[in-house]
C-alpha cells in the first residue's frame, strides 16, 4: 500500500490583514457611535441653535431626550422672553423614517401658550412664522399634522378684537382631529355689529379640512348700530366651517332675553334656525317664539314667526320673510286717543251719537285686543327699516274682524313712522259697520288712491248713510276724498231728518280739512224747540278756511254760513216762513 503525506493548509497573509482592518474599522465606528451618542444632546442643541439663529428666532429650551424615534424638550420659550410668542412646558416630537427621509409623526404638547394676530385674512404667530414653510399665497388651511394637545391656549388679536382660545384633543389637524375648543372674548366687532362677552365650549372634529363645532355658546349682547340689539343670546350650536374658516353652515337652537329691531321690541325670544354664509351674508330658515312684543303702535302678549332670513354681520342688515302670528294684539293708547278724540269732538251734533258709538267700538277693540296672522316681510338696515303685513287677518275679542286681500297690504317704515296701505281691506263686527276699501299708496306717507263702501250706521236715534267714498292724490302731497252723506240725528234742542251733504276734503301732512268751498246742502225736516221746518235747500259756505278742520295735534273745529236761506214750517200750531241773507253756525 502506497503512503501519502498530507500537507497542512497555509493561511494567506493578505486575508488575515483585511480581517484585522475590518475589525479595527468596526471598533472605530462603534467607538465613534458611542462617543456621538454620549454627546448627542450637545450636538442636537448645537444644530438647533444654529438653525434658530439662521432663521432669526430667539428661543430657549431644555433638551430631555434625543433618540432615533423621539425628541423631548421642556421649558420651551420662543420670541422675546419679556413677551414670548409661544411657551410650552413639555413637547415630544416623533420622528418617522422613510424612503423620502425623516418626517415628523406625532407632536405631543402640554402647557402651550401662544400669541398671534390676524391681518389681511392671515394668521401671524410672531417669530414662529420664521419656522414655518414660506407662504404660498393660498387661503388658510389646517396643516397635515398629527397632534396630541392638552392645556393649550392662544390669544389672537383680530380686526374684530382680541380672542382667547383653549384647545385639547388628538388626531390629524387636517383630517381626523377630535377634541374640545373653548373661546372667550370681551368684545368682538364685525362691521356695524358688536358682540359683547362671547363664550363657547364646544366639541371639535375635523374631516377633510373642515372643522365642525357642537356645543353651547353665549353672549352678553349683540348690537348692530342703533337698529338691532339682542340681549343675552344663547345657542346650542352645530356648525361646519370652510377650510379657510371664512364661511359656515349648520343649525342651532337659541334663546334671548330681549330683541330690539329699530323701534320694535320683543321679550323672551326662543327658536331654531339654520344658517349658511359668511360675515357678508348669512341666510337660512328660522322659527321664533316670543313673549311680549311691541312693533310700532302695536303690542302683543305672544308672537310666533316661521320663514327665512338673511343677515349681514358686516353691515348690520336684517331681512325676514315668513308667516307671523300674534296673540293679545293691542294698539298703543296714544294712537287710539287721536282717533277717539276726533270722534268725540262731534258730541252735540246730529253726527254725535254715531261718532260716540264708533269711539266706543275703537276703545273696546284696542282694550280687548285679539289674535292676528299675516305674511311678514321685514327689512332693517343702517338707520332705516320697514315691515310689511300681507294677507292680514285680525280677530278681535270685541268681535271686530279685519281682513286684507291682495296687494302689498300694510307697510310701516321708520324712523319716520309712516304707514302705507295697498290692497283690499274688509272691516266688520265689534260695533263697526261693514266696510270694504280698495286702496293704493305708492309709498309710505304718499297720497292714497282708491274707493271704499261703508254700510249705513245707526246709534242713539241717529242714522248715517254714505255714498261710495273715493280717494285721490292731491297736489300738496295729501289725499283728497269725496262722498255724500244722508244723516238723521238729534242735536241740542232739536233734530234733523234727511240731512244731505256732499263731502269733499283732504287729509295728510296738514291735518284734516272738510269742505273748503260752498256746497248745496238740504234736509227733509228740522225741529228746534217748538219750531218745525219742512224740506229745504241750503247753500252752505265755510266761515273759516273750511266747514270743518283739525290741525295736527289740535282739536276739531267747524264753522258754516247759510247764504240766502229760505225756510217754511210751523211754530207750534202757527205756520211760519223764514228768510235771511246770512245765517252762521259754529261748532
Amino acid at each position: 500500500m502506497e503512503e501519502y503525506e498530507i500537507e497542512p493548509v497555509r493561511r494567506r497573509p493578505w486575508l488575515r490583514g483585511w480581517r484585522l482592518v475590518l475589525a479595527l474599522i468596526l471598533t472605530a465606528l462603534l467607538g465613534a457611535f458611542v462617543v456621538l451618542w454620549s454627546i448627542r444632546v450637545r450636538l442636537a442643541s448645537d444644530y438647533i441653535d444654529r438653525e434658530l439663529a439662521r432663521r432669526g428666532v430667539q428661543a430657549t429650551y431644555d433638551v430631555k431626550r434625543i433618540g432615533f424615534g423621539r425628541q423631548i424638550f421642556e421649558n420651551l420659550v420662543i420670541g422675546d422672553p419679556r413677551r414670548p410668542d409661544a411657551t410650552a412646558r413639555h413637547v415630544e416630537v416623533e420622528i418617522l423614517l422613510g424612503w423620502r427621509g425623516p418626517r415628523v409623526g406625532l407632536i405631543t404638547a402640554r402647557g402651550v401658550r401662544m400669541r398671534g394676530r390676524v391681518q389681511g385674512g392671515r394668521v401671524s404667530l410672531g417669530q414662529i412664522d420664521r419656522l414655518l414653510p414660506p407662504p404660498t399665497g393660498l387661503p388658510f388651511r389646517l396643516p397635515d399634522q398629527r397632534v396630541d394637545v392638552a392645556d393649550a391656549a392662544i390669544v389672537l388679536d383680530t380686526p374684530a378684537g382680541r380672542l382667547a382660545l383653549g384647545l385639547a384633543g388628538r388626531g390629524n389637524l387636517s383630517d381626523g382631529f377630535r377634541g374640545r375648543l373653548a373661546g372667550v372674548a370681551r368684545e368682538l366687532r364685525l362691521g356695524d355689529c358688536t358682540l359683547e362677552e362671547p363664550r363657547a365650549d364646544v366639541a371639535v372634529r375635523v374631516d377633510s379640512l373642515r372643522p365642525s363645532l357642537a356645543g353651547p355658546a353665549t353672549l352678553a349682547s349683540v348690537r348692530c348700530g342703533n337698529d338691532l340689539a339682542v340681549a343675552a343670546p344663547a345657542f346650542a350650536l352645530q356648525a361646519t366651517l370652510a377650510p379657510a374658516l371664512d364661511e359656515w353652515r349648520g343649525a342651532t337652537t337659541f334663546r334671548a332675553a330681549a330683541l330690539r329691531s329699530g323701534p320694535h321690541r320683543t321679550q323672551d325670544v326662543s327658536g331654531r334656525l339654520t344658517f349658511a354664509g359668511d360675515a357678508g351674508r348669512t341666510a337660512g330658515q328660522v322659527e321664533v317664539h316670543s313673549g311680549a312684543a311691541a312693533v310700532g303702535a302695536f303690542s302683543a302678549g305672544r308672537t310666533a314667526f316661521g320663514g327665512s332670513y338673511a343677515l349681514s354681520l358686516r353691515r348690520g342688515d336684517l331681512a325676514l320673510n315668513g308667516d307671523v302670528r300674534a296673540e293679545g294684539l293691542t294698539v298703543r293708547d296714544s294712537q287710539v286717543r287721536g282717533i277717539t278724540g276726533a270722534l268725540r269732538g262731534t258730541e252735540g251734533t246730529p253726527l254725535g251719537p254715531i261718532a260716540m258709538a264708533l269711539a266706543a267700538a275703537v276703545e273696546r277693540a284696542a282694550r280687548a285686543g285679539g289674535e292676528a296672522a299675516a305674511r311678514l316681510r321685514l327689512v332693517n338696515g343702517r338707520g332705516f327699516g320697514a315691515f310689511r303685513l300681507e294677507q292680514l287677518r285680525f280677530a278681535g275679542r270685541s268681535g271686530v274682524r279685519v281682513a286684507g286681500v291682495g296687494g302689498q297690504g300694510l307697510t310701516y317704515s321708520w324712523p319716520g313712522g309712516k304707514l302705507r296701505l295697498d290692497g283690499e281691506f274688509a272691516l266688520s263686527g265689534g260695533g263697526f259697520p261693514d266696510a270694504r276699501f280698495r286702496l293704493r299708496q305708492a309709498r309710505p306717507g304718499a297720497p292714497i288712491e282708491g274707493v271704499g263702501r261703508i254700510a249705513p250706521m245707526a246709534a242713539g236715534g241717529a242714522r248715517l248713510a254714505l255714498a261710495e267714498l273715493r280717494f285721490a292724490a292731491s297736489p300738496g302731497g295729501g289725499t283728497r276724498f269725496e262722498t255724500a252723506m244722508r244723516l238723521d240725528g238729534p242735536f241740542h234742542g232739536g233734530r234733523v231728518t234727511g240731512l244731505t251733504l256732499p263731502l269733499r276734503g283732504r287729509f295728510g301732512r296738514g291735518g284734516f280739512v272738510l269742505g273748503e268751498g260752498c256746497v248745496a246742502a238740504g234736509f227733509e225736516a228740522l225741529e228746534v224747540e217748538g219750531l218745525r221746518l219742512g224740506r229745504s235747500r241750503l247753500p252752505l259756505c265755510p266761515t273759516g278756511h273750511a266747514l270743518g278742520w283739525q290741525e295736527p295735534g289740535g282739536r276739531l273745529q267747524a264753522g258754516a254760513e247759510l247764504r240766502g236761506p229760505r225756510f217754511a214750517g210751523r211754530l207750534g200750531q202757527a205756520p211760519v216762513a223764514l228768510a235771511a241773507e246770512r245765517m252762521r253756525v259754529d261748532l
Side-chain angles (χ1 to χ4, degrees):
M1 182 172 183
E2 197 171 337
E3 295 182 0
Y4 295 91
E5 183 178 352
I6 300 175
E7 185 177 343
V9 177
R10 297 179 180 177
R11 299 180 182 274
R12 298 171 182 170
W14 61 270
L15 183 59
R16 289 197 302 270
W18 274 112
R19 287 177 177 175
L20 179 60
V21 171
L22 180 60
L24 291 174
I25 291 174
L26 291 175
T27 302
L29 289 174
L30 180 59
F33 179 79
V34 171
V35 172
L36 291 173
W37 183 257
S38 65
I39 63 172
R40 66 192 186 281
V41 173
R42 193 179 67 198
L43 292 175
S45 299
D46 291 342
Y47 172 78
I48 293 172
D49 290 342
R50 286 196 304 272
E51 188 64 20
L52 291 173
R54 185 180 72 83
R55 295 174 180 251
V57 176
Q58 295 175 269
T60 60
Y61 55 91
D62 297 330
V63 179
K64 293 301 181 181
R65 176 181 176 184
I66 297 293
F68 285 115
R70 189 173 301 276
Q71 325 296 328
I72 300 177
F73 304 89
E74 291 184 353
N75 304 321
L76 174 66
V77 177
I78 297 178
D80 186 345
R82 295 169 298 182
R83 186 179 174 83
D85 297 315
T87 62
R89 186 177 68 253
H90 181 88
V91 178
E92 295 185 19
V93 181
E94 181 185 53
I95 303 297
L96 301 178
L97 299 176
W99 293 109
R100 296 183 179 179
R103 61 185 178 87
V104 176
L106 176 66
I107 297 177
T108 301
R110 299 291 184 266
V112 177
R113 300 292 183 267
M114 300 178 66
R115 295 179 180 273
R117 63 183 183 275
V118 178
Q119 290 181 328
R122 299 184 182 278
V123 178
S124 174
L125 300 175
Q127 293 189 25
I128 296 176
D129 295 348
R130 303 171 189 175
L131 301 175
L132 301 176
T136 63
L138 298 176
F140 172 79
R141 291 291 187 273
L142 291 168
D144 181 13
Q145 177 62 59
R146 292 171 55 229
V147 298
D148 181 353
V149 180
D151 187 24
I154 181 171
V155 176
L156 284 175
D157 290 318
T158 76
R162 176 167 292 181
L163 174 65
L165 300 173
L167 179 65
R170 182 183 176 92
N172 193 308
L173 289 173
S174 65
D175 190 10
F177 181 83
R178 302 291 185 267
R180 295 200 68 84
L181 174 68
V184 63
R186 179 176 296 176
E187 179 182 279
L188 295 178
R189 293 181 177 272
L190 298 173
D192 285 344
C193 294
T194 301
L195 284 62
E196 297 282 353
E197 299 180 18
R199 296 176 179 271
D201 184 6
V202 297
V204 180
R205 58 183 296 158
V206 181
D207 297 296
S208 301
L209 293 171
R210 296 179 178 272
S212 295
L213 311 174
T218 63
L219 300 98
S221 68
V222 176
R223 294 179 288 106
C224 296
N226 295 320
D227 301 307
L228 178 65
V230 186
F235 305 87
L237 183 66
Q238 289 188 342
T240 299
L241 305 180
L245 310 184
D246 55 355
E247 297 179 3
W248 41 76
R249 60 179 174 83
T252 182
T253 57
F254 62 88
R255 59 178 174 80
L259 182 148
R260 177 179 60 82
S261 176
H264 317 309
R265 287 170 172 78
T266 305
Q267 304 293 325
D268 300 325
V269 182
S270 63
R272 182 181 186 276
L273 64 83
T274 63
F275 54 88
D278 55 24
R281 184 180 187 274
T282 295
Q285 299 295 311
V286 60
E287 295 180 7
V288 184
H289 303 271
S290 80
V295 179
F298 303 94
S299 299
R302 295 182 60 85
T303 67
F305 173 82
S308 61
Y309 77 96
L311 171 68
S312 172
L313 293 173
R314 188 172 295 149
R315 298 185 303 272
D317 297 343
L318 172 65
L320 293 174
N321 187 357
D323 296 316
V324 63
R325 301 187 306 278
E327 300 176 8
L329 183 64
T330 59
V331 183
R332 188 183 301 166
D333 288 342
S334 59
Q335 299 291 323
V336 174
R337 286 195 298 268
I339 297 172
T340 58
L343 292 170
R344 295 187 187 280
T346 63
E347 185 178 8
T349 72
L351 192 59
I354 292 175
M356 297 293 284
L358 287 175
V362 171
E363 289 176 340
R364 286 196 304 271
R367 190 181 309 114
E371 283 67 51
R375 185 74 178 174
L376 171 68
R377 300 176 185 270
L378 182 145
V379 176
N380 189 86
R382 185 182 300 177
F384 74 93
F387 75 85
R388 176 179 297 163
L389 298 176
E390 301 173 348
Q391 304 170 25
L392 176 66
R393 298 287 186 275
F394 175 75
R397 297 190 182 99
S398 69
V400 63
R401 299 288 185 271
V402 179
V405 181
Q408 295 183 343
L410 182 151
T411 302
Y412 179 83
S413 63
W414 60 88
K418 295 180 179 179
L419 190 68
R420 178 193 177 207
L421 299 172
D422 184 273
E424 189 169 336
F425 302 89
L427 170 70
S428 63
F432 293 93
D434 291 345
R436 294 187 72 90
F437 295 89
R438 188 168 66 250
L439 304 174
R440 182 182 180 277
Q441 200 172 6
R443 62 186 182 279
I448 298 174
E449 298 178 349
V451 297
R453 295 178 177 83
I454 303 174
M457 295 167 275
R463 185 180 186 277
L464 173 66
L466 294 174
E468 183 177 76
L469 183 60
R470 294 189 171 275
F471 301 92
S474 66
T479 298
R480 290 193 172 276
F481 63 90
E482 180 178 348
T483 186
M485 77 171 188
R486 179 183 172 89
L487 175 65
D488 303 331
F491 57 91
H492 291 308
R495 177 181 179 84
V496 66
T497 302
L499 174 64
T500 58
L501 180 67
L503 300 175
R504 297 182 181 88
R506 57 182 171 84
F507 59 87
R509 301 173 185 171
F512 171 77
V513 176
L514 175 65
E516 294 180 281
C518 296
V519 297
F523 57 79
E524 296 293 327
L526 177 65
E527 299 180 15
V528 183
E529 301 296 341
L531 176 66
R532 294 179 176 83
L533 301 178
R535 179 179 297 179
S536 302
R537 293 288 176 264
L538 308 174
L540 194 63
C541 296
T543 56
H545 62 275
L547 296 175
W549 69 94
Q550 184 177 25
E551 296 179 354
R555 63 185 181 88
L556 181 65
Q557 302 178 68
E561 183 181 71
L562 300 175
R563 296 183 179 178
R566 299 290 184 268
F567 303 103
R570 302 184 69 84
L571 180 60
Q573 298 299 321
V576 295
L578 301 176
E581 285 190 12
R582 297 177 184 273
M583 182 180 295
R584 180 168 177 151
V585 179
D586 291 313
L587 176 64

